[in-house]
Amino acid sequence: MLYFSRLKMVLIWLAVAVTVILAAPNLFPTSTLAQLPNWVPKRQMTLGLDLQGGSHILLEMNQNDLIKDRMETTRDEIRTLLRDANPKINYTGLSGSGRTVQVRITDPAQLDQAKKVLKPLTDPVAAGLFSGGSIQEMSLDDSEPGLLKFTVTDAGLKYRTSTALTQSIEVVERRVNELGTTEPIVQRQGDDRILVQVPGLQDPQRLKEILGQTAKLTFQMVDQSMPVQDALKGRPPAGSSVLYSQDDPPVPYLIENRVIVSGENLVDAQATYNSQTNEPVVSFRFDSKGATRFGQATAQNVGKLFAIILDNQVISAPQIREPILGGTGQISGNFTPQSANDLAVLLRAGALPATLTVIEERTVGPGLGQDSIHAGKVAGVIGSILVVAFMFVAYGFLGFLANIALAVHVAMIVALLSLLGATLTLPGIAGIVLTIGMAVDSNVLIYERIREERRNGRSVIQAIDTGFSKALATIVDSNVTSLIATVVLFWLGTGPVKGFAITYAIGILTTVFTAFTFTRMLVSIWLRRARPKELPRAPVTFIPPGTKIPFMGIRRWTFALSSLLSILSVVGFLTIDINYGIDFKGGSMIEVQSKQGDADLGDIRNRLSELNIGEIQVQQFGAPNDVLIRVGTQDAGENAEQTVIDKVRGELQDQYDFRRVEVVGPTVSGELAKQGTIAMLIALVGILLYVWFRFEWQFAVGAIVATVHDVVMTIGFFVLTGLEFNQSSLAAILTIIGYSLNDTIVVYDRVREDLRRYKKMPLPQLLNNAINETLSRTTLTSVTTILALLALVLFGGEVIRSFTLAMLFGVVFGTYSSIFIAAPLLILFKLRPQAATAEEEQKSANGKAVAT
């Protein structure tokens, strides 16, 4: 185990050198890297939106819009096909409801001809790879004599939705790119959603406004056959409708339904200024078809009014003074330079086929992002110093070697994140700090095993070689269980939680390499050069060797205590409302910072209470000038959530900076709650199967029971403290599952080893020996992890405080359960029937002797 060939050592050092080179660019500003030669690696970690600021917006397409458009198109097609038939087919009752359009053929003799004429409506449409190449978009029901019913099929609706979503993604991409942002992400999510992530965005409100508009532009004539007020009092003429302007208050117009030209005929639109009035306007240019139609319409209607309509709102209704034949024109209105530019952006990008509703929004201002980076750096540095100092105190020179490996471990995480282009989030920074605490776990396992082998009489070289060899299986088993929980977290997590999972998973993998390969090589080099006669002494011995604590003697008390606490946690969860964050109950969360002086919570509360937006919570968040505002979910649907943000922003933006905005609609919050439950179940089942495969069923069930105990205790912690339970809290619980299992597996691995060695030893005594033999490792690993987490709790900032506090609590209880729950359960499950109950058999024998 300790022999390294020259080639192997060269390859290891080469891997370390490459790691350092790939990680180094993250230490320098981008401006400095730009001045270096092209062959120098310059790729840095991609910062998440919570670190560099920006917006995460989830849009949902309104399928009702698609159905409505399809129904209108179908009615028009039926009307045209029957009217243009030769001979003309008489019909009545052409109407639509839901997903069905029906028409009654008045002459029964023309029914067959009508079916033939309308057959194109039910013909299969080419759909590429979708549904095997073609689908039937509409079905015909002619069961009632003379009545034809055309219904959009489920496959047809799915096809329309898929096509519209693809088109919407293209339109959204064009709109976002027009804003001049760097590296935006626009991608499909599910069957009817679009995820938009725009890093570094300074004005998220503008992005929402641009994405929220359908931008259907039409040019239609104003109906001047009757005053609009008469149309409002009575009934508009056939073929006309009343539409309103964008003014405040809105002005009504009577508009002909016939569209002269639509936005589909536009080839360009630019924000300019009117040469006469110097007001902002939007200049547009039609294609040849649009120019011809627009020229003909204006030539035929000189002196009349025509309306420019955007999303059923009249922008302006100028008079046609002369024919407009050049295919160009201007849209004037009450524009500001930015609103004119935004309209030009919308027109150039094209109209959306259906309305997109914001169902989830997470926006972070650049100031908060910089604060989070600073807090993460401080927490990381302090946590690293504490762990490094502790390792040196606990192991002396061997601790120094472990610290070198720890530095390589961190460099490898940074290098891999940079190389893979993975996104570093604020929870991701927490993941790095946490792996710093846990990375030494493998070294602690190895070093404690080496010390034990040396105490058993082996030489220094034999002890070190055996220690590395015997620790390997334990290291692999303990890290695989953590990895299972992390993979589930990545699979079902979103946003920053997924960033934490990526970082944590990379940390688990690099831990195994640095501890078992790099540290082993450093120890090998030290052995060859120093040729020590004894292991290096540690300045402090935390757990004296040869401890004989009778843990199993108090197992009934610990079972009773844990049962009582578990019952209290469950009762508390069922009777006391846990402080669910907006991730699980929906609503809005807004973090603001006073521009001058301390924030006035009472004033904010009073001002927001007058907005009639439902339940409001206002509390200080960190510094005296920071405030966290929570607004309950709205009953009026997804759009109402965005209206709340607009109202709050309008009320407070003069005195407060909006640093963070999170909005989760009721649809998304329900899905996140469901995903969280599924994630925990999948993680537990995966771990159960792995432990069962590697050990025996008693170990698997014991590990799961102990882990469920830790989860219940952590939920009870949230109930007792009132900490917010959100997606990050769920990530904390899944991480606790992995950590708790990590601890349990170390104890179980020693139990399995002792079972093979001591065939006749009673199980309680064997378990006591196994726990005492691993007690030093359990204690030291817990201390290093707790030190790292304490740094996060104290210096990591308010945003992740509930996450880190839950982790800290979970680590303490995970250590407790590994000793006092997981191990005694093996007695309860009669792991060794012939020896497990030896103490009870002895009592029984004593009883018989007395009776005799």
Side-chain angles (χ1 to χ4, degrees):
M1 291 292 290
L2 294 177
Y3 172 74
F4 285 82
S5 66
R6 187 177 297 273
L7 176 61
K8 193 172 182 179
M9 291 182 66
V10 169
L11 291 175
I12 293 174
W13 282 115
L14 183 62
V16 172
V18 170
T19 292
V20 172
I21 292 172
L22 291 175
N26 293 280
L27 300 175
F28 303 97
T30 306
S31 56
T32 302
L33 294 175
Q35 301 173 3
L36 299 177
N38 292 332
W39 55 268
V40 176
K42 301 175 183 177
R43 191 164 188 174
Q44 296 178 313
M45 289 184 292
T46 303
L47 297 182
L49 298 181
D50 54 349
L51 293 179
Q52 63 172 316
S55 290
H56 162 110
I57 294 177
L58 186 61
L59 302 164
E60 185 175 62
M61 190 168 59
N62 189 340
Q63 289 191 352
N64 291 330
D65 284 0
L66 297 177
I67 296 173
K68 181 181 177 182
D69 288 347
R70 187 68 184 106
M71 293 298 97
E72 291 178 357
T73 303
T74 302
R75 283 198 300 269
D76 292 341
E77 287 179 352
I78 291 174
R79 184 181 297 113
T80 302
L81 290 171
L82 295 179
R83 184 184 59 199
D84 295 344
N86 188 17
K88 181 180 177 181
I89 300 174
N90 297 318
Y91 65 91
T92 185
L94 177 58
S95 62
S97 177
R99 288 162 56 175
T100 300
V101 176
Q102 65 181 26
V103 61
R104 184 174 295 278
I105 308 302
T106 55
D107 185 358
Q110 291 185 311
L111 185 59
D112 290 337
Q113 183 187 0
K115 290 180 183 179
K116 184 176 181 181
V117 168
L118 298 178
K119 187 177 182 301
L121 295 176
T122 58
D123 286 342
V125 295
L129 297 176
F130 183 86
S131 296
S134 66
I135 63 164
Q136 185 177 8
E137 190 177 358
M138 302 199 76
S139 62
L140 171 62
D141 178 12
D142 58 354
S143 58
E144 186 174 339
L147 187 66
L148 303 179
K149 294 182 178 180
F150 295 89
T151 303
V152 178
T153 63
D154 291 338
L157 180 59
K158 187 175 181 181
Y159 165 66
R160 281 281 166 183
T161 303
S162 178
T163 304
L165 192 65
T166 301
Q167 182 183 344
S168 298
I169 290 173
E170 294 174 357
V171 173
V172 169
E173 281 182 337
R174 288 196 293 267
R175 292 183 183 182
V176 173
N177 290 332
E178 288 279 0
L179 294 176
T181 55
T182 57
E183 299 182 1
I185 297 173
V186 180
Q187 62 188 27
R188 178 191 296 258
Q189 189 169 90
D191 295 330
D192 58 353
R193 294 178 183 176
I194 302 173
L195 175 64
V196 180
Q197 291 184 331
V198 186
L201 186 67
Q202 300 295 323
D203 189 359
Q205 191 65 20
R206 184 183 175 204
L207 173 66
K208 284 194 300 179
E209 291 172 354
I210 287 178
L211 295 180
Q213 293 192 55
T214 309
K216 288 187 177 180
L217 182 74
T218 57
F219 294 80
Q220 298 168 232
M221 296 303 299
V222 176
D223 187 344
Q224 296 174 276
S225 63
M226 67 183 297
V228 67
Q229 296 301 329
D230 293 345
L232 287 171
K233 294 176 183 177
R235 186 175 181 181
S240 296
S241 304
V242 176
L243 299 179
Y244 291 86
S245 71
Q246 296 179 329
D247 301 310
D248 188 16
V251 178
Y253 288 89
L254 185 60
I255 306 296
E256 294 182 7
N257 293 340
R258 180 174 60 91
V259 175
I260 300 171
V261 189
S262 70
E264 296 175 358
N265 299 114
L266 284 179
V267 293
D268 191 25
Q270 297 291 335
T272 58
Y273 288 90
N274 187 303
S275 58
Q276 297 178 350
T277 63
N278 203 34
E279 293 179 348
V281 295
V282 177
S283 298
F284 61 85
R285 181 163 53 90
F286 289 122
D287 59 17
S288 58
K289 180 180 178 182
T292 301
R293 295 177 63 181
F294 194 63
Q296 291 174 349
T298 54
Q300 295 169 3
N301 295 282
V302 173
K304 296 182 179 180
L305 302 178
F306 80 97
I308 303 172
I309 300 169
L310 180 70
D311 292 343
N312 289 325
Q313 285 187 307
V314 179
I315 298 177
S316 62
Q319 186 180 38
I320 303 172
R321 293 190 173 87
E322 59 185 13
I324 304 174
L325 304 176
T328 62
Q330 287 183 348
I331 303 174
S332 60
N334 297 321
F335 291 130
T336 63
Q338 180 171 304
S339 64
N341 185 65
D342 288 349
L343 177 56
V345 167
L346 292 171
L347 298 182
R348 286 197 301 270
L352 291 166
T355 304
L356 295 177
T357 303
V358 177
I359 60 174
E360 181 184 7
E361 175 195 354
R362 300 181 190 274
T363 298
V364 176
L368 179 60
Q370 289 300 318
D371 291 348
S372 297
I373 293 174
H374 176 72
K377 286 180 178 178
V378 171
V381 169
I382 293 176
S384 300
I385 291 174
L386 291 175
V387 171
V388 166
F390 181 80
M391 284 299 292
F392 184 75
V393 169
Y395 292 105
F397 181 74
L398 289 179
F400 171 72
L401 298 182
N403 288 333
I404 296 176
L406 183 62
V408 173
H409 160 77
V410 174
M412 290 190 80
I413 293 177
V414 174
L416 287 172
L417 287 173
S418 303
L419 186 64
L420 296 174
T423 301
L424 180 66
T425 61
L426 182 57
I429 293 179
I432 293 177
V433 178
L434 181 60
T435 58
I436 289 173
M438 293 185 63
V440 297
D441 172 55
S442 297
N443 285 313
V444 170
L445 268 171
I446 294 167
Y447 289 170
E448 288 302 312
R449 197 69 196 231
I450 290 173
R451 284 177 170 178
E452 184 180 340
E453 296 298 329
R454 179 63 178 142
R455 287 195 297 269
N456 290 337
R458 295 182 183 272
S459 66
V460 172
I461 295 179
Q462 288 176 332
I464 292 174
D465 187 62
T466 306
F468 274 102
S469 179
K470 288 187 175 182
L472 177 60
T474 308
I475 291 173
V476 171
D477 284 335
S478 60
N479 281 286
V480 166
T481 53
S482 295
L483 194 60
I484 290 172
T486 308
V487 169
V488 173
L489 190 59
F490 174 79
W491 179 34
L492 293 175
T494 59
V497 173
K498 186 167 287 191
F500 168 78
I502 293 173
T503 306
Y504 193 57
I506 291 175
I508 291 172
L509 296 175
T510 56
T511 293
V512 176
F513 170 80
T514 53
F516 195 75
T517 302
F518 187 68
T519 304
R520 185 160 54 94
M521 185 188 71
L522 292 179
V523 172
S524 174
I525 294 172
W526 168 68
L527 281 176
R528 284 205 308 270
R529 296 190 174 182
R531 299 185 181 278
K533 301 297 183 183
E534 190 53 74
L535 293 175
R537 284 187 168 276
V540 177
T541 300
F542 291 92
I543 302 294
T547 56
K548 299 291 183 183
I549 301 174
F551 293 103
M552 294 304 102
I554 59 172
R555 65 180 185 273
R556 292 178 177 83
W557 292 100
T558 57
F559 276 161
L561 175 64
S562 293
S563 299
L564 177 62
L565 292 176
S566 298
I567 292 171
L568 290 175
S569 295
V570 173
V571 171
F573 176 74
L574 295 176
T575 58
I576 303 174
D577 287 337
I578 195 169
N579 184 19
Y580 285 112
I582 64 169
D583 291 332
F584 296 115
K585 68 178 182 181
S588 307
M589 183 173 69
I590 308 161
E591 183 183 343
V592 298
Q593 187 176 70
S594 175
K595 293 180 179 179
Q596 291 184 346
D598 294 346
D600 188 341
L601 301 186
D603 177 62
I604 293 175
R605 194 176 289 110
N606 292 334
R607 290 165 66 180
L608 296 184
S609 297
E610 296 174 357
L611 298 179
N612 192 28
I613 55 178
E615 179 188 354
I616 300 169
Q617 296 179 11
V618 180
Q619 65 186 69
Q620 187 176 324
F621 189 69
N625 61 337
D626 289 334
V627 179
L628 191 66
I629 303 167
R630 289 189 178 91
V631 183
T633 185
Q634 305 296 301
D635 296 330
E638 308 285 354
N639 283 323
E641 305 290 349
Q642 292 300 315
T643 303
V644 166
I645 299 300
D646 294 339
K647 288 182 177 180
V648 174
R649 191 181 295 274
E651 184 68 31
L652 300 179
Q653 63 184 354
D654 292 340
Q655 299 176 20
Y656 295 88
D657 290 324
F658 281 66
R659 290 162 62 82
R660 179 164 58 116
V661 175
E662 294 189 11
V663 181
V664 179
T667 302
V668 174
S669 61
E671 292 173 355
L672 290 176
K674 181 180 177 182
Q675 282 184 348
T677 305
I678 293 173
M680 272 194 282
L681 292 176
I682 291 176
L684 290 173
V685 170
I687 292 168
L688 172 70
L689 294 175
Y690 179 79
V691 177
W692 197 334
F693 172 76
R694 289 288 293 145
F695 295 83
E696 296 178 37
W697 73 264
Q698 291 96 333
F699 289 96
V701 176
I704 292 301
V705 171
T707 304
V708 170
H709 163 271
D710 297 339
V711 171
V712 171
M713 289 293 101
T714 306
I715 292 175
F717 174 73
F718 277 102
V719 173
L720 180 65
T721 59
L723 287 173
E724 181 180 295
F725 190 87
N726 50 31
Q727 274 201 93
S728 296
S729 307
L730 179 62
I733 288 179
L734 284 170
T735 309
I736 289 168
I737 288 175
Y739 180 88
S740 175
L741 263 295
N742 186 311
D743 251 3
T744 301
I745 290 299
V746 171
V747 175
Y748 278 1
D749 192 76
R750 182 56 66 94
V751 171
R752 180 176 59 179
E753 181 180 331
D754 287 352
L755 283 171
R756 296 168 184 160
R757 184 186 303 175
Y758 308 112
K759 302 291 186 181
K760 302 288 187 181
M761 181 180 290
L763 190 56
Q765 182 182 341
L766 186 142
L767 292 174
N768 275 333
N769 289 348
I771 295 172
N772 279 289
E773 288 167 353
T774 57
L775 187 60
S776 181
R777 173 267 164 199
T778 301
T779 305
L780 295 181
T781 297
S782 297
V783 169
T784 56
T785 308
I786 287 171
L787 288 175
L789 286 171
L790 272 176
L792 283 170
V793 170
L794 298 176
F795 305 103
E798 291 289 337
V799 177
I800 58 171
R801 181 148 295 164
S802 64
F803 168 76
T804 50
L805 277 172
M807 281 294 304
L808 187 62
F809 177 85
V811 166
V812 172
F813 257 85
T815 305
Y816 161 83
S817 67
S818 299
I819 297 173
F820 294 104
I821 303 298
L825 283 172
L826 298 178
I827 300 176
L828 186 65
F829 296 149
K830 301 187 184 302
L831 176 64
R832 181 187 276 179
Q834 70 274 19
T837 57
E839 56 184 355
E840 296 176 6
E841 292 174 359
Q842 184 64 40
K843 292 179 182 178
S844 176
N846 292 339
K848 289 180 181 178
V850 172
T852 302

